[in-house]
Amino acid sequence: MKNESYDVVVIGGGPAGLAAAISAHDSGAKVLLLEREARLGGILKQCIHDGFGLIRFGEKLSGPEYAERYIDEFHARQIAAVTLTFVTKIEKTGSGFTVHTVSRNGVARYRAAALVLATGCRERTAKQVFIHGTRPAGVFTAGTAQHFTNLLGELPTKRCVILGSGDIGLIMARRLTLEGAEVLGVYEAKPTPSGLTRNLHQCLYDYDIPLYLSHTVTRVFGTDRLESVEISEVDEHMTPIPGTEQRLDCDALILSVGLIPENELAESLGVKLDPKTKGPVCDGQNMTSVDGVFSCGNALHVNDLVDYVSENAAVAGAAAAAYKPQKRKPVEIHISDTLLYMVPQQLDLARNNNKTAVYFRARGDYNNSRLALTVDGKEVFSRRYAFLRPPEMEKLELDFDGMGLTETSDVQFKLEPQTEKG
Amino acid sequence: MTELTCIVCPRSCKLQISADKETLIVTGNACKRGAVFAQNEMTDPRRTLCSTVATVFPEAPVLPVRVSDEIPKAKIFDVMREINRTVVKTRIGRGDVVIKNVLGLGADVIATSDLLKEKAGETS
């Protein structure tokens, strides 16, 4: 049985894993990347639309183009990679880890001094949004529809309803329309759309696809294949309003109802998760609560731009390459209720935090809000934002080292919506 | 006055466009690309187009493509028809032209992936 040793083992060959592996290699580490699919690139392989890379490359690239730029960089460095390989178990052994895998060649074990978990995220399914009725074929996630259409070249529907206004749903509404399917509408239970504003315009309004807010699918009908769905209006608590039901004939119900970081491997190692992000609690080096285990990309928190995934993963890769066991000096970062979440959730004062990227989302749509950072009640930083929305993540770069932090410091980020000038 | 949402980048600026005799006045844009977008949108709206084209290779039945330059919004479905009429028979790669000067619009349909040049499990 194979039993090789590496400084850093990266799990996942999507944009996060690729950037982490490249960065770890460039920091001098011996790196191995493990990928369960046949090809590197992760979900970007099927994201054939453009809009990727504006921040990273200053160009509007399609998903495959963005991914392949990193894949080319990865191969140019001759970094070891094993594809069609599934991680079955990770054990903490001695000062490092043993990663157990299975592939066509059988089982293998790899030793790692540090791990980068770049396992991405999963789509929420019909079961998780409580859609009742029979169980016909034709109810699937937007990502599945995208896989059929863009990788297999099979149009999975002729006439469909899309539930949820997440970006993948909007992108698929356009994609299916272009290929000749009829998209009856995008139905969103919340009173505000979930996707980026520009996607509402270039994916729905450009093609006269209607968007219905405060509406949801309450039942599905059909025996072998979906025949129709029942749509209801919902109240402010997202509870369906009786008497508003209408039935629409369609052969597919496509769900774009959110993404959840995939952290089963992380949890098996005892990594603490943040209920807000559903990803690991991390410090400014992307290290989780377990020493030597790093997290990045959509496994850490669901990003809306891949450019930030690459950037964040590069931090994790470099930190994993430089990892040596040492005592931590953690300080928690607290956030106000007006923030949906913030990453990192803590800082390790034993490490450099002079150029720490901070990612956050606002809880609501706020005009002219003000973000303030206080340390022990004293304001040390503030910034004004003209317009914040939950679907649009914001990024800050801060020098925490200049703030005189100690392990007992009270570090608070407070977002004040609609503040007066002054 | 007309209101538009800029689609050049994820910032999605809200643009206000008013006409002063012959020239358009654009406000609300955070960068100059927004002003250009508004000008074009009012006179000659254009879009990029991404799709897939069929191949003869069973392991990769479709290859992702896009137009090399924006095309008139009104021509999107005509270009889709051309793309869906095409079958790739050689192992072309990223940036290679699939349809030269599609419908005479001045843009090529180009491949956006090296998918056909890869072999499954090559890196293992």
Side-chain angles (χ1 to χ4, degrees), chain A residues 100-253:
Chain A
H100 296 256
T101 66
V102 62
S103 72
R104 290 176 189 183
N105 304 323
V107 293
R109 274 196 309 230
Y110 301 96
R111 290 272 308 143
L115 292 175
V116 178
L117 304 178
T119 45
C121 58
R122 277 189 194 162
E123 293 177 284
R124 227 180 237 130
T125 64
K127 304 270 168 21
Q128 286 162 301
V129 292
F130 308 108
I131 293 172
H132 303 290
T134 50
R135 287 284 174 265
V139 181
F140 39 72
T141 64
T144 301
Q146 196 175 42
H147 183 96
F148 274 111
T149 313
N150 295 347
L151 292 180
L152 304 179
E154 301 284 347
L155 195 61
T157 175
K158 289 191 180 73
R159 186 180 153 93
C160 67
V161 161
I162 297 182
L163 176 63
S165 57
D167 286 307
I168 318 168
L170 303 178
I171 296 283
M172 282 315 294
R174 173 177 65 183
R175 182 76 186 112
L176 293 167
T177 304
L178 283 173
E179 290 293 352
E182 189 186 356
V183 179
L184 297 173
V186 174
Y187 293 83
E188 169 60 59
K190 285 181 286 193
T192 53
S194 303
L196 298 174
T197 309
R198 71 163 180 164
N199 282 339
L200 297 173
H201 284 266
Q202 64 184 359
C203 297
L204 300 189
Y205 307 154
D206 269 5
Y207 296 91
D208 298 319
I209 301 166
L211 170 67
Y212 301 93
L213 299 171
S214 300
H215 280 73
T216 195
V217 171
T218 36
R219 287 183 76 183
V220 298
F221 302 93
T223 44
D224 294 332
R225 180 79 191 197
L226 185 71
E227 284 158 17
S228 63
V229 297
E230 181 191 80
I231 307 271
S232 298
E233 287 176 40
V234 298
D235 63 18
E236 62 270 34
H237 307 295
M238 295 213 272
T239 309
I241 303 168
T244 62
E245 301 89 354
Q246 49 166 320
R247 214 159 139 163
L248 290 178
D249 291 340
C250 56
D251 65 12
L253 169 63

Side-chain angles (χ1 to χ4, degrees), chain B residues 49-65:
Chain B
L49 176 63
C50 297
S51 188
T52 54
V53 62
T55 81
V56 295
F57 306 104
E59 80 284 2
V62 286
L63 179 69
V65 294

Side-chain angles (χ1 to χ4, degrees), chain B residues 58-76:
Chain B
E59 80 284 2
V62 286
L63 179 69
V65 294
R66 67 174 165 93
V67 286
S68 59
D69 203 355
E70 292 191 328
I71 56 167
K73 198 174 156 185
K75 295 284 182 191
I76 285 175

Side-chain angles (χ1 to χ4, degrees), chain A residues 65 68 72 75 81 201 206, chain B residues 5 47 66 94 113-114 123:
Chain A
E65 287 171 297
E68 288 176 22
D72 291 348
H75 288 318
H201 284 266
D206 269 5
Chain B
T5 299
R47 292 291 183 269
R66 67 174 165 93
R94 203 157 89 233
S113 172
D114 280 339
T123 52

